[in-house]
Amino acid sequence: NNIWESVLGASFDRPQEQDLQEMEALVDAAMQQGALGLSSQVMMPPGSLATTDHIVRLCQIVAQHHGIYSTHIRNEGTGVLSSVREAIEIGRRGGLPVDVIHLKIADQTLWGRMDEIVAMIEAARREGVDVQANVYPYTRGNNNLVSIIPPWAHEGGTQMLLKRLQDPAERQRMKVDIQGTLPGWYNHLAAVGGDWSRVLVSGNTRFQGLTMDRVFALRKADGARGDLLDQLFDYLVEEGGSVSAVYAHHTERDMTLALTQPWCSVGSDGSAYATSGALRRGNPHPRNFGTFPRVLARYVRENPVLRLEDAIRKMTSLNARKVGLVDRGLLVPGGYADVTVFDPHRVSDRATYEDPFHYCDGIQWVIVNGTVVLAGEQHTGARPGRVLRHVAPRDPDDVDKESQG
């Protein structure tokens, strides 16, 4: 998205050859400066404007630097199978590893078909395409309420979107697309079966921590008019076109099946929040605080679908190797001393959807770059972190060997 907007801005114009060459030059420069690879979000504009061919061209530049293609696929719902196929095709044609960001089936009409996706990825791997994935250990995802607005309404950026949200004719067109499920578009409302009680406001608004059915009831009590989509449009206008939300749209069975695959790592898909101060805001997804201890507590100790050593690998060395960080992720002589010391009998997450601002229990010591940052579960005030830049694997087979376990 950054590459695309750097060249084309907020317009929906189709890129010309000169535009694509400029994008290639930007990707090449970033890789030379140590970028880990190319990431994409092709579900919503501007990323959704890119075709498979566009992405392949940029990935071929990344491949020259031994980087990775990390993708938030085009459609996690009704189009999830074709979207995974597209990611595989990009890896094959681009000649580089692919990592599917938080693999899931986020539409109830396709729940239970994760085995088909696993089989598809396994087949590609047997053919020599290095396809991997990651998951977060929750069955709710985080997006924005504005994702319920059809893609065409986003052209021109936020200000143009806000104008359209206040135009009666444009509103009616949006309603038709939202209720009719515009072909090729991942409709987040359809993904939760149109059930507003499965959409939780996580943004920093007066309704944070409430499900949207409760929001609509409160707004109606305050005199709000129109149907529920009118109220959604009004709410977005009041909040400047952005309200973060949590969607209950995938299942434990599908998530666990993905989690247990040897080529699937664990990632939080989170941000840097804190329980106090400037970094405490909104009602964020609990994954920001609880992802890794939750894996250790729920999927190793309580519901043991993973061995402890496999869970650790999925959270450390597998992720490091994916992005070419060869001196991190393992406890070996000569490696960077990044160490987490935890009590396997006590480690657990405490953050919930309703009350997310809680650090975990049972992580007692953390060492970053050889410096103690957490001592006896108390922060020392040290900040020894460094920018991590891409380094090509010393052995071309390193990444694939690690992904095989």
Side-chain angles (χ1 to χ4, degrees), residues 202-275:
S202 60
N204 192 18
T205 82
R206 65 191 178 104
F207 298 119
Q208 68 184 50
L210 300 180
T211 53
M212 282 299 295
D213 57 327
R214 295 180 62 194
V215 171
F216 291 140
L218 291 172
R219 291 180 65 86
K220 184 176 182 180
D222 289 340
R225 297 184 177 183
D227 60 25
L228 297 185
L229 288 180
D230 281 317
Q231 292 186 43
L232 171 68
F233 301 155
D234 289 342
Y235 185 23
L236 284 169
V237 170
E238 292 165 12
E239 297 297 332
S242 178
V243 177
S244 184
V246 171
Y247 295 83
H249 55 27
H250 56 292
T251 69
E252 181 84 5
R253 179 181 179 276
D254 286 333
M255 186 277 294
T256 304
L257 180 57
L259 173 66
T260 54
Q261 302 308 309
W263 38 260
C264 189
S265 66
V266 175
S268 70
D269 194 39
S271 301
Y273 288 95
T275 59

Coordinates of all heavy atoms in Angstrom, one line a residue, residues 202-275:
S202 N -13.7 -1.4 19.2 CA -12.5 -1.4 19.9 C -11.8 0.0 19.8 O -10.7 0.2 20.4 CB -11.5 -2.5 19.4 OG -11.3 -2.4 18.0
G203 N -12.3 0.8 19.0 CA -11.7 2.2 18.8 C -12.0 3.1 20.0 O -12.9 2.8 20.8
N204 N -11.3 4.2 20.0 CA -11.4 5.1 21.1 C -12.5 6.0 21.0 O -12.4 7.2 20.6 CB -10.0 5.8 21.3 CG -10.0 6.6 22.6 OD1 -10.7 6.3 23.5 ND2 -9.1 7.6 22.6
T205 N -13.7 5.5 21.2 CA -15.0 6.3 21.0 C -15.8 6.1 22.3 O -15.5 5.3 23.1 CB -15.8 5.9 19.8 OG1 -16.6 4.8 20.1 CG2 -14.9 5.6 18.6
R206 N -16.9 6.9 22.4 CA -17.8 6.8 23.6 C -18.4 5.4 23.7 O -18.9 5.0 24.7 CB -18.8 7.9 23.6 CG -19.8 7.8 22.5 CD -20.7 9.1 22.4 NE -21.6 9.1 21.4 CZ -22.9 8.9 21.5 NH1 -23.4 8.6 22.7 NH2 -23.8 9.0 20.5
F207 N -18.4 4.6 22.6 CA -19.0 3.3 22.6 C -18.0 2.2 22.7 O -18.3 1.0 22.5 CB -19.8 3.1 21.3 CG -20.9 4.0 21.1 CD1 -21.0 4.9 20.1 CD2 -22.0 4.1 22.1 CE1 -22.1 5.8 19.9 CE2 -23.0 5.0 21.9 CZ -23.1 5.8 20.8
Q208 N -16.7 2.5 23.0 CA -15.7 1.4 23.0 C -16.1 0.3 24.0 O -16.6 0.6 25.1 CB -14.3 2.0 23.4 CG -14.2 2.6 24.8 CD -12.9 3.2 25.1 OE1 -12.4 4.1 24.3 NE2 -12.2 2.8 26.1
G209 N -15.8 -0.9 23.6 CA -16.1 -2.0 24.4 C -17.6 -2.5 24.3 O -17.9 -3.5 25.0
L210 N -18.4 -1.9 23.4 CA -19.7 -2.4 23.2 C -19.9 -3.0 21.9 O -19.2 -2.7 20.9 CB -20.7 -1.2 23.3 CG -20.7 -0.3 24.6 CD1 -21.7 0.8 24.5 CD2 -21.1 -1.2 25.8
T211 N -20.8 -4.0 21.8 CA -21.1 -4.6 20.5 C -22.0 -3.7 19.7 O -22.7 -2.8 20.3 CB -21.8 -6.0 20.7 OG1 -22.9 -5.9 21.6 CG2 -20.8 -7.0 21.2
M212 N -22.0 -3.8 18.4 CA -22.7 -2.8 17.6 C -24.2 -2.9 17.8 O -24.9 -1.8 17.6 CB -22.4 -3.0 16.2 CG -21.0 -2.4 15.8 SD -20.9 -0.6 16.0 CE -22.1 0.0 14.8
D213 N -24.8 -4.0 18.2 CA -26.2 -4.0 18.5 C -26.6 -3.1 19.7 O -27.6 -2.4 19.7 CB -26.7 -5.4 18.7 CG -26.0 -6.1 19.8 OD1 -24.8 -5.9 20.1 OD2 -26.7 -7.0 20.5
R214 N -25.7 -3.1 20.7 CA -25.9 -2.2 21.8 C -25.7 -0.7 21.4 O -26.3 0.2 21.9 CB -25.0 -2.6 22.9 CG -25.3 -4.0 23.5 CD -24.3 -4.3 24.6 NE -24.4 -3.4 25.8 CZ -23.5 -3.3 26.7 NH1 -22.4 -4.1 26.7 NH2 -23.7 -2.4 27.7
V215 N -24.7 -0.5 20.5 CA -24.4 0.8 20.0 C -25.7 1.4 19.4 O -26.1 2.5 19.6 CB -23.2 0.9 19.1 CG1 -23.1 2.2 18.4 CG2 -22.0 0.5 19.8
F216 N -26.3 0.6 18.5 CA -27.5 1.1 17.8 C -28.6 1.3 18.7 O -29.4 2.3 18.5 CB -27.9 0.0 16.7 CG -26.9 -0.1 15.6 CD1 -26.6 -1.4 15.1 CD2 -26.3 1.0 15.0 CE1 -25.8 -1.5 14.0 CE2 -25.5 0.9 13.9 CZ -25.2 -0.4 13.4
A217 N -28.8 0.5 19.8 CA -29.8 0.7 20.7 C -29.6 2.0 21.5 O -30.6 2.8 21.7 CB -29.9 -0.5 21.7
L218 N -28.4 2.3 21.9 CA -28.1 3.6 22.6 C -28.3 4.8 21.7 O -28.8 5.8 22.1 CB -26.7 3.5 23.1 CG -26.4 2.5 24.3 CD1 -24.9 2.5 24.6 CD2 -27.2 3.0 25.5
R219 N -27.9 4.6 20.4 CA -28.1 5.7 19.5 C -29.6 6.0 19.2 O -30.0 7.2 19.1 CB -27.3 5.4 18.2 CG -25.8 5.4 18.3 CD -25.2 5.1 17.0 NE -25.4 6.2 16.0 CZ -24.7 7.3 15.9 NH1 -23.6 7.5 16.7 NH2 -25.0 8.2 15.0
K220 N -30.3 4.9 19.1 CA -31.8 5.1 18.9 C -32.4 5.8 20.1 O -33.3 6.7 20.0 CB -32.4 3.7 18.7 CG -33.9 3.8 18.4 CD -34.5 2.5 18.1 CE -36.0 2.6 17.7 NZ -36.6 1.3 17.4
A221 N -31.9 5.4 21.3 CA -32.5 6.1 22.5 C -32.1 7.6 22.6 O -32.8 8.4 23.2 CB -31.9 5.4 23.8
D222 N -31.0 7.9 21.9 CA -30.6 9.3 21.8 C -31.2 10.1 20.7 O -30.9 11.2 20.4 CB -29.1 9.4 21.7 CG -28.3 9.0 22.9 OD1 -28.9 9.0 24.0 OD2 -27.1 8.7 22.9
G223 N -32.1 9.4 19.9 CA -32.9 10.0 18.9 C -32.3 9.8 17.5 O -32.8 10.5 16.5
A224 N -31.4 8.8 17.3 CA -30.9 8.5 16.0 C -32.0 8.0 15.0 O -32.9 7.3 15.5 CB -29.8 7.5 16.0
R225 N -31.9 8.4 13.8 CA -33.0 8.1 12.8 C -32.4 7.2 11.7 O -31.2 7.1 11.6 CB -33.6 9.3 12.2 CG -34.3 10.2 13.2 CD -35.0 11.3 12.5 NE -35.8 12.2 13.4 CZ -36.5 13.2 13.1 NH1 -36.5 13.6 11.8 NH2 -37.1 13.9 14.0
G226 N -33.3 6.6 10.9 CA -32.8 5.7 9.8 C -32.6 4.3 10.2 O -32.7 3.9 11.4
D227 N -32.3 3.5 9.2 CA -32.1 2.1 9.5 C -30.7 1.9 10.0 O -29.9 2.8 10.2 CB -32.3 1.2 8.3 CG -31.4 1.6 7.1 OD1 -30.3 2.1 7.3 OD2 -31.8 1.3 5.9
L228 N -30.3 0.6 10.3 CA -29.0 0.4 10.9 C -27.8 0.8 10.1 O -26.8 1.3 10.6 CB -28.9 -1.1 11.3 CG -29.9 -1.7 12.3 CD1 -29.6 -3.1 12.7 CD2 -29.9 -0.8 13.6
L229 N -27.9 0.7 8.8 CA -26.8 1.1 7.9 C -26.7 2.6 7.9 O -25.6 3.2 7.9 CB -27.0 0.6 6.5 CG -26.7 -0.9 6.3 CD1 -27.0 -1.4 4.9 CD2 -25.3 -1.3 6.8
D230 N -27.9 3.3 8.0 CA -27.8 4.8 8.1 C -27.1 5.2 9.4 O -26.3 6.1 9.4 CB -29.2 5.4 8.1 CG -29.8 5.5 6.7 OD1 -29.1 5.9 5.8 OD2 -31.0 5.1 6.5
Q231 N -27.4 4.5 10.5 CA -26.8 4.8 11.7 C -25.3 4.5 11.7 O -24.5 5.2 12.3 CB -27.4 4.0 12.8 CG -28.9 4.4 13.1 CD -29.5 3.7 14.3 OE1 -28.8 3.6 15.4 NE2 -30.7 3.3 14.2
L232 N -24.9 3.4 11.0 CA -23.5 3.1 10.8 C -22.8 4.2 10.0 O -21.7 4.7 10.4 CB -23.3 1.8 10.0 CG -21.9 1.5 9.5 CD1 -21.0 1.1 10.7 CD2 -21.9 0.3 8.5
F233 N -23.4 4.7 8.9 CA -22.8 5.8 8.2 C -22.7 7.0 9.0 O -21.6 7.7 9.0 CB -23.7 6.1 7.0 CG -23.9 4.9 6.0 CD1 -25.0 4.9 5.2 CD2 -23.0 3.9 5.9 CE1 -25.2 3.8 4.3 CE2 -23.2 2.8 5.0 CZ -24.3 2.8 4.2
D234 N -23.7 7.3 9.8 CA -23.6 8.5 10.7 C -22.5 8.4 11.7 O -21.8 9.3 12.0 CB -25.0 8.7 11.4 CG -26.1 9.2 10.5 OD1 -25.7 9.7 9.4 OD2 -27.3 9.0 10.8
Y235 N -22.4 7.2 12.3 CA -21.4 7.0 13.3 C -20.0 7.2 12.7 O -19.1 7.8 13.3 CB -21.5 5.5 13.8 CG -20.6 5.1 14.9 CD1 -20.0 6.0 15.8 CD2 -20.4 3.7 15.2 CE1 -19.2 5.6 16.8 CE2 -19.6 3.3 16.2 CZ -19.0 4.2 17.0 OH -18.1 3.8 18.0
L236 N -19.7 6.6 11.5 CA -18.5 6.8 10.8 C -18.2 8.3 10.5 O -17.0 8.7 10.7 CB -18.4 6.0 9.5 CG -18.2 4.5 9.7 CD1 -18.4 3.7 8.4 CD2 -16.8 4.2 10.3
V237 N -19.2 9.0 10.1 CA -19.0 10.4 9.9 C -18.6 11.2 11.1 O -17.7 12.0 11.2 CB -20.3 11.0 9.2 CG1 -20.2 12.6 9.2 CG2 -20.5 10.5 7.8
E238 N -19.3 10.8 12.2 CA -19.0 11.5 13.5 C -17.6 11.2 14.0 O -16.9 12.0 14.6 CB -20.0 11.0 14.6 CG -21.4 11.4 14.4 CD -22.4 10.6 15.2 OE1 -21.9 9.9 16.1 OE2 -23.6 10.7 15.0
E239 N -17.0 10.0 13.6 CA -15.7 9.6 14.0 C -14.6 9.8 13.0 O -13.5 9.3 13.1 CB -15.7 8.2 14.5 CG -16.6 7.9 15.7 CD -16.2 8.6 16.9 OE1 -15.0 8.9 17.1 OE2 -17.1 8.9 17.8
G240 N -14.9 10.7 12.0 CA -13.9 11.0 11.0 C -13.6 9.9 10.0 O -12.5 9.9 9.4
G241 N -14.5 8.9 9.9 CA -14.4 7.8 8.9 C -13.6 6.6 9.4 O -13.2 5.8 8.6
S242 N -13.4 6.5 10.7 CA -12.6 5.4 11.2 C -13.0 5.0 12.6 O -13.0 5.8 13.5 CB -11.1 5.7 11.2 OG -10.3 4.7 11.7
V243 N -13.4 3.7 12.8 CA -13.8 3.1 14.1 C -13.2 1.7 14.1 O -13.7 0.9 13.3 CB -15.3 3.1 14.4 CG1 -15.5 2.5 15.7 CG2 -15.8 4.5 14.4
S244 N -12.2 1.4 14.9 CA -11.7 0.1 15.0 C -12.7 -0.8 15.6 O -13.5 -0.5 16.5 CB -10.4 0.1 15.8 OG -9.8 -1.2 15.8
A245 N -12.7 -2.1 15.1 CA -13.7 -3.1 15.6 C -13.1 -4.5 15.6 O -12.2 -4.8 14.8 CB -15.0 -3.0 14.7
V246 N -13.7 -5.3 16.4 CA -13.4 -6.7 16.5 C -14.5 -7.5 16.0 O -15.7 -7.4 16.4 CB -13.0 -7.1 17.9 CG1 -12.9 -8.6 18.1 CG2 -11.8 -6.4 18.4
Y247 N -14.2 -8.5 15.0 CA -15.3 -9.3 14.4 C -15.1 -10.7 14.8 O -14.1 -11.3 14.7 CB -15.1 -9.2 12.9 CG -15.4 -7.8 12.3 CD1 -14.4 -6.8 12.2 CD2 -16.6 -7.5 11.7 CE1 -14.6 -5.6 11.7 CE2 -16.9 -6.2 11.2 CZ -15.9 -5.3 11.2 OH -16.1 -4.1 10.6
A248 N -16.2 -11.3 15.3 CA -16.2 -12.8 15.6 C -16.6 -13.6 14.4 O -17.8 -13.8 14.1 CB -17.2 -13.0 16.7
H249 N -15.6 -14.0 13.6 CA -15.9 -14.5 12.3 C -15.2 -15.8 11.9 O -15.3 -16.3 10.8 CB -15.7 -13.5 11.2 CG -14.3 -12.8 11.1 ND1 -13.1 -13.5 11.6 CD2 -13.9 -11.6 10.7 CE1 -12.1 -12.7 11.4 NE2 -12.5 -11.5 10.9
H250 N -14.4 -16.4 12.8 CA -13.8 -17.7 12.4 C -13.9 -18.7 13.6 O -14.3 -18.3 14.7 CB -12.4 -17.6 11.8 CG -11.4 -16.9 12.6 ND1 -11.4 -15.6 12.9 CD2 -10.2 -17.4 13.2 CE1 -10.3 -15.2 13.6 NE2 -9.6 -16.3 13.8
T251 N -13.5 -19.9 13.4 CA -13.8 -21.0 14.4 C -12.5 -21.5 15.0 O -11.4 -21.5 14.4 CB -14.5 -22.1 13.8 OG1 -13.7 -22.8 12.9 CG2 -15.8 -21.7 13.1
E252 N -12.7 -22.1 16.2 CA -11.6 -22.7 16.9 C -11.0 -23.9 16.1 O -9.8 -24.1 16.1 CB -12.0 -23.1 18.3 CG -11.0 -23.8 19.2 CD -10.1 -22.8 19.9 OE1 -10.4 -21.6 19.8 OE2 -9.2 -23.2 20.6
R253 N -11.9 -24.7 15.6 CA -11.5 -25.9 14.9 C -10.6 -25.5 13.7 O -9.5 -26.1 13.5 CB -12.7 -26.7 14.4 CG -12.3 -27.9 13.6 CD -13.6 -28.7 13.1 NE -13.2 -29.9 12.4 CZ -13.0 -29.9 11.1 NH1 -13.0 -28.7 10.4 NH2 -12.7 -31.0 10.4
D254 N -11.0 -24.6 12.9 CA -10.2 -24.2 11.7 C -8.9 -23.5 12.2 O -7.8 -23.8 11.6 CB -10.9 -23.2 10.8 CG -12.0 -23.8 10.0 OD1 -11.9 -25.0 9.7 OD2 -13.0 -23.1 9.7
M255 N -8.9 -22.7 13.2 CA -7.7 -22.0 13.7 C -6.7 -23.0 14.2 O -5.5 -23.0 13.9 CB -8.1 -21.0 14.7 CG -6.9 -20.1 15.2 SD -5.9 -20.9 16.5 CE -7.0 -21.0 17.8
T256 N -7.2 -24.0 15.0 CA -6.3 -25.0 15.6 C -5.7 -25.9 14.5 O -4.5 -26.2 14.6 CB -7.1 -25.9 16.6 OG1 -7.7 -25.0 17.6 CG2 -6.1 -26.8 17.3
L257 N -6.4 -26.2 13.5 CA -5.9 -27.1 12.4 C -4.7 -26.3 11.7 O -3.7 -26.9 11.4 CB -7.0 -27.4 11.4 CG -6.5 -28.3 10.2 CD1 -5.9 -29.6 10.7 CD2 -7.7 -28.5 9.3
A258 N -4.9 -25.0 11.5 CA -3.8 -24.2 10.9 C -2.6 -24.2 11.9 O -1.5 -24.4 11.5 CB -4.3 -22.9 10.5
L259 N -2.9 -23.9 13.1 CA -1.9 -23.7 14.1 C -0.9 -24.9 14.2 O 0.3 -24.8 14.4 CB -2.5 -23.4 15.5 CG -1.6 -23.4 16.7 CD1 -0.7 -22.2 16.6 CD2 -2.4 -23.3 18.0
T260 N -1.5 -26.1 14.1 CA -0.7 -27.3 14.3 C 0.2 -27.7 13.1 O 0.9 -28.7 13.2 CB -1.6 -28.5 14.7 OG1 -2.6 -28.6 13.7 CG2 -2.3 -28.2 16.0
Q261 N 0.0 -27.0 12.0 CA 0.8 -27.4 10.8 C 2.3 -26.9 11.1 O 2.5 -25.9 11.6 CB 0.3 -26.7 9.6 CG -1.1 -27.0 9.2 CD -1.4 -28.5 9.2 OE1 -0.7 -29.3 8.5 NE2 -2.4 -28.9 9.9
P262 N 3.3 -27.8 10.7 CA 4.7 -27.4 10.9 C 5.2 -26.2 10.3 O 6.1 -25.5 10.7 CB 5.4 -28.7 10.4 CG 4.5 -29.3 9.5 CD 3.1 -29.1 10.0
W263 N 4.5 -25.7 9.2 CA 4.9 -24.5 8.5 C 4.1 -23.3 8.9 O 4.2 -22.2 8.3 CB 4.7 -24.7 6.9 CG 3.5 -25.5 6.6 CD1 3.4 -26.8 6.2 CD2 2.1 -25.0 6.5 NE1 2.1 -27.2 5.9 CE2 1.3 -26.1 6.1 CE3 1.5 -23.8 6.7 CZ2 -0.1 -26.0 5.9 CZ3 0.1 -23.7 6.6 CH2 -0.6 -24.8 6.2
C264 N 3.3 -23.4 10.0 CA 2.5 -22.3 10.4 C 3.1 -21.8 11.8 O 3.2 -22.5 12.7 CB 1.1 -22.7 10.6 SG 0.0 -21.3 11.0
S265 N 3.5 -20.5 11.8 CA 4.0 -19.9 13.0 C 2.9 -19.1 13.7 O 1.8 -19.1 13.3 CB 5.2 -19.0 12.6 OG 4.7 -17.9 11.8
V266 N 3.3 -18.5 14.8 CA 2.4 -17.7 15.6 C 2.8 -16.2 15.5 O 4.0 -15.9 15.7 CB 2.4 -18.1 17.1 CG1 1.6 -17.2 18.0 CG2 1.9 -19.6 17.2
G267 N 1.8 -15.4 15.3 CA 2.1 -13.9 15.3 C 0.9 -13.2 15.9 O -0.2 -13.7 15.8
S268 N 1.1 -12.1 16.5 CA 0.0 -11.4 17.2 C -0.8 -10.6 16.3 O -2.0 -10.3 16.6 CB 0.6 -10.5 18.4 OG 1.3 -9.4 17.8
D269 N -0.3 -10.1 15.2 CA -0.9 -9.1 14.4 C -1.3 -7.9 15.2 O -2.3 -7.3 15.0 CB -2.2 -9.7 13.7 CG -2.7 -8.8 12.5 OD1 -1.8 -8.2 11.8 OD2 -3.9 -8.6 12.4
G270 N -0.5 -7.6 16.2 CA -0.9 -6.6 17.2 C 0.0 -5.4 17.1 O 0.8 -5.2 16.2
S271 N -0.3 -4.5 18.0 CA 0.4 -3.2 18.1 C 1.0 -3.0 19.5 O 0.7 -3.8 20.4 CB -0.5 -2.0 17.8 OG -1.1 -2.2 16.5
A272 N 1.8 -1.9 19.7 CA 2.4 -1.7 21.0 C 1.5 -0.9 21.9 O 1.4 0.4 21.8 CB 3.7 -0.9 20.8
Y273 N 0.7 -1.5 22.7 CA -0.1 -0.9 23.7 C 0.5 -1.1 25.1 O 1.4 -1.9 25.3 CB -1.5 -1.5 23.7 CG -2.4 -1.2 22.5 CD1 -2.4 -2.0 21.4 CD2 -3.1 0.0 22.5 CE1 -3.2 -1.7 20.3 CE2 -3.9 0.3 21.4 CZ -4.0 -0.6 20.3 OH -4.7 -0.3 19.2
A274 N 0.0 -0.3 26.0 CA 0.4 -0.4 27.4 C -0.8 -0.3 28.3 O -1.9 0.2 27.9 CB 1.4 0.7 27.8
T275 N -0.7 -0.7 29.6 CA -1.8 -0.6 30.5 C -2.0 0.8 31.1 O -3.0 1.0 31.7 CB -1.6 -1.6 31.6 OG1 -0.4 -1.3 32.3 CG2 -1.6 -3.1 31.1

